[in-house]
Amino acid sequence: MYKALNQVSKLGQDSQHPPHSAWPQQMSDIKAGASNSAKPMLMASSNVFSIGPYRSRKDANRVSVIEKYEIIGYIAAGTYGKVYKARKKVPVKNGSSSSPSDSEMSLPTTSTFPLSNQEALDVNSINKSTRVQDSSTSLPFLNQTQETQVDQKSESTQTSTVPANRVIIASPTKKLPMLFAIKKFKTEREGMEQLHYTGISQSACREMSLCRELRNKHLTNLVEIFLEHKSIYMVSEFAEHDLLQIIHFHSHPEKRLIPPRMLKSIVWQILDGVSYLHQNWILHRDLKPANIMVTVDGCVKIGDLGLARKFHNMVQTLYTGDKVVVTIWYRAPELLLGARHYTPAIDLWAVGCIFAELIGLRPIFKGEEAKMDSKKSVPFQANQLQRILEVLGSPNDKSWPDIYKYPEYEQLSNFPRYRDNLPVWYHSAGGRNKEALDLLYLLLQYDPISRIDAVDALEHPYFTSEDPAVCENVFEGLNYKYPPRRIHTNDNDIMNISNSRAKSTTINPQAVASKSATNTSLGGLGVNRRILAAAAAAAAAVSGTNSSSRPASSAGISGPARKKRR
Amino acid sequence: MSASYWESTQRLKWQHTRESLSAERHQLWLLECQLFPQGLTVTMENTKGSGQPVTRTIPITNYDMHYDKDYNLRIYCYFLIMKLGRRLNIRQYALATAHIYLSRFMLRASVRECNLYLLVTTCIYLACKVEECPQHIRSLVNEARSLWPEFVPPDPTKVTEFEFYLLEELQSFLIVHHPYRSMEQIVEALRLEPYALTLSAEDLQNTWSLINDSYITDVHLIYPPHVIAMACFFVIICLQKPYRAKHQETFNRFMAESQVDLAEVMNTVQDLIALYDCWDKYNELWIKFLLHSLYLRRG
């Protein structure tokens, strides 16, 4: 047995562990023992080997997310983590253009500046180019200069080339690449290589487990999951738009209503996705415009299942798991009244709010959230309820027979009585379609029991009997295009390589993979990333301050990151 | 789909046939032989009087400590999960999920390369999250430590680290369908006409326990949950045949008409019977001793 351990520990030598842990100690003990004597080496009692040998075996064979995907930039950052836009790396057969395999094989970790990296950068910018046609310096020239650059200097020059590189898109030889969104769940400390494994969050766990099971046209499709460097990377299909963006586009600079056909198609597709979720006994619990994506070809995709959960075979009540669900403006009245047991109807309320927002181009119930107090008790959201009452009128025992059963029922008496103003609201928002108003009423029913469910909503006359018909491509017939997603390119380092590299000798066990092949590939990408980081920082500086500022000077922004590495 | 077994990853990604199962295990067997060719050396007390302790080597090719062949080990794992689960009052549903994770993990990894006690703790930790009854990691590790102080490190990040590797090995397919639900459905269906068979609370309890035990076997890796539920009912009803022959008749008719795959049900019954044969020979002291020798070596 001890021999076996030796073997394994040798296998995993390169992935030795941080000194703060007790196990590596043990592993090195074993090795030491083996080399010193032929006598069986014995561990001190009460020392248990952990998963060391297994870990080494797995770490040696893992394919990294950055070996398969190239990060274009990040789309959004939130409490959950960060979402990046990426394209799949395609090994190119004839070496003229960018090939990740080139860099993997040939690159030493030194600061030489090979062509392949250069090229990789170009490829990266392909996607940007479709949006912004930059008229700056001509490309070939820039490429030349870049090639002659040496490491540090080039970084500053690099920055200036970024906008120019966008032009590359025009190059006809390259096909439009497959795009992906990579969600990296937030780790303990932002911007730092994580020191410890923190247990995966409930939300990551939900999203992973549910997305693995679900497959529907109107849900964002999970492609694969990477688990490495103590982080989770979920790769899913990329959607160019979301409803928040689209609503913003229609309300700025002046209001222009969303075309009726598009409106109807969007709502229908949302309902279709929601109905799929509910048929699978899943509550989404966080429907809002920002979580509803639309692909380039006009297919609605419901995203972000971080709050979603199964509601059959429940071991615990919904309330015990999460005290507060749904973003405040989309939160159903039963939740505001403190419901412990709620139903899929809460998702339909949210759909109603989204529907109304698509019509009126601003949130229909834009209340102010009461913050959690120090005692961590759930506050009563008076302002939000007020907003709802103002539009829908005060509920009564006719419109909501069970209302008196809710924990916060008493609070209702503190509000003045309102009458139903939804038709007024609807007309002032520019709505004309009677069926749409009827559906809106059904979705915004106070009583969750009488609120329409997703399946019935799909059959509503608004969709079935009225012209125009629902269409698959929500953009069908439009003579304009929505602006694509903004991509931030100031942080493409999804693995935190720049940070971990500096410290890899002391705290980062995994970065140095045991296989030399993996090793060089990481190194190669590291260089690549450095260029990207510099370029990105410049781009950020340019767009951040004013567009005419000299990009070269802004290279200093990436300074701290680089300093760390040296 | 999480609502239906038929569309689930359990069926589409993790359902084995006996052949694929043994093929996969053969791979692991080869790996184990390669990694640990010298087997396991154990030191035992001399049973014949008070002589020198005897050192013996158990070859790697022995059945001992291979999860697929060593029922001692399997039954022991089952007890480990149960013990820790009971301590924390974790629902059986979550424990069953944990057990599935363990069986899946053991298809791909050897007991010799990772700490089994840590694995059990980690499986429960993850399963509780997936089943929406999360346990606080500290209390979990504390309980595990109080049960197996020499095996579970006090540092909770050992569990969270392992969780990552477990997730990877499971390929993040986490939602599992269990026979408990099918069992309830079968009870419902039996109660209605034309069967009108109401099972006693004791029968239900026994069936439930039988389902619990079935996690020791491979049936959950091979057959759908409703087949397993059906097989467990079948066994329980057979056992009381002498008293209530009518029940057996009705149940057989129900089973025939339910269009469940009878061959699969019979295979499951077979596995369950085989399990109880092994259980008769279960030697907890021996498996504990082996694990001790494997994980703890005295200087």
Side-chain angles (χ1 to χ4, degrees), chain A residues 1-5 7-8 11 17 20-24 30 41-59 62 196-202 205-206 208-210 212-215 225-232 276 279-282 285 308-310 312-317 321-322 510, chain B residues 1-4 7-10 28 31 34-41 91 93-94 105 108-115 118 125-126 128-134 137 149-158 160-169 171-177 181 184 293-299:
Chain A
M1 184 59 215
Y2 64 92
K3 267 190 203 157
L5 262 178
Q7 279 193 342
V8 179
L11 266 177
H17 320 288
H20 66 257
S21 132
W23 309 113
I30 298 165
M41 216 287 306
L42 296 169
M43 268 190 261
S45 66
S46 90
N47 247 358
V48 186
F49 81 46
S50 69
I51 62 168
Y54 170 71
R55 181 174 52 200
S56 321
R57 175 158 75 82
K58 298 305 287 187
D59 288 352
R62 189 173 296 116
H196 302 286
Y197 284 91
T198 46
I200 61 162
S201 64
Q202 189 68 22
C205 185
R206 282 170 177 157
M208 274 199 287
S209 58
L210 295 176
R212 275 298 201 197
E213 302 292 316
L214 300 171
R215 199 109 309 187
I225 298 177
F226 289 87
L227 295 150
E228 53 179 324
H229 286 76
K230 310 184 182 70
S231 299
I232 302 169
Y276 175 81
Q279 283 172 51
N280 279 288
W281 297 86
I282 291 168
R285 306 198 297 183
R309 65 164 285 180
K310 286 197 300 172
H312 77 329
N313 292 332
M314 284 196 303
V315 180
Q316 269 187 338
T317 66
D322 314 80
Q510 283 184 4
Chain B
M1 286 248 273
S2 71
S4 145
E7 298 289 320
S8 69
T9 55
Q10 183 178 0
L28 180 63
L31 181 78
Q34 201 186 338
L35 290 178
F36 312 101
Q38 66 300 327
L40 174 64
T41 307
R91 304 291 293 266
Y93 212 87
F105 185 83
R108 305 263 170 94
S110 166
V111 201
R112 292 159 205 261
E113 56 180 349
C114 59
N115 180 338
L118 204 57
Y125 177 58
L126 181 60
C128 284
K129 277 194 232 180
V130 173
E131 299 295 345
E132 297 282 352
C133 52
I137 183 132
E150 64 275 52
F151 297 106
V152 179
D155 178 6
T157 64
K158 291 294 146 195
T160 49
E161 176 193 35
F162 205 168
E163 183 186 31
F164 249 73
Y165 287 85
L166 177 63
L167 275 170
E168 186 180 43
E169 206 64 270
Q171 296 166 280
S172 332
F173 294 117
L174 300 176
I175 291 184
V176 180
H177 296 261
R181 213 178 137 71
E184 286 163 22
S293 314
L294 181 64
Y295 297 143
L296 311 174
R297 274 151 320 126
R298 277 158 218 79

Side-chain angles (χ1 to χ4, degrees), chain B residues 229-248:
Chain B
M230 198 71 105
C232 293
F233 268 119
F234 184 79
V235 171
I236 295 301
I237 288 174
C238 276
L239 288 176
Q240 35 149 283
K241 194 177 177 186
Y243 323 105
R244 276 170 281 176
K246 194 91 184 29
H247 275 189
Q248 177 83 66

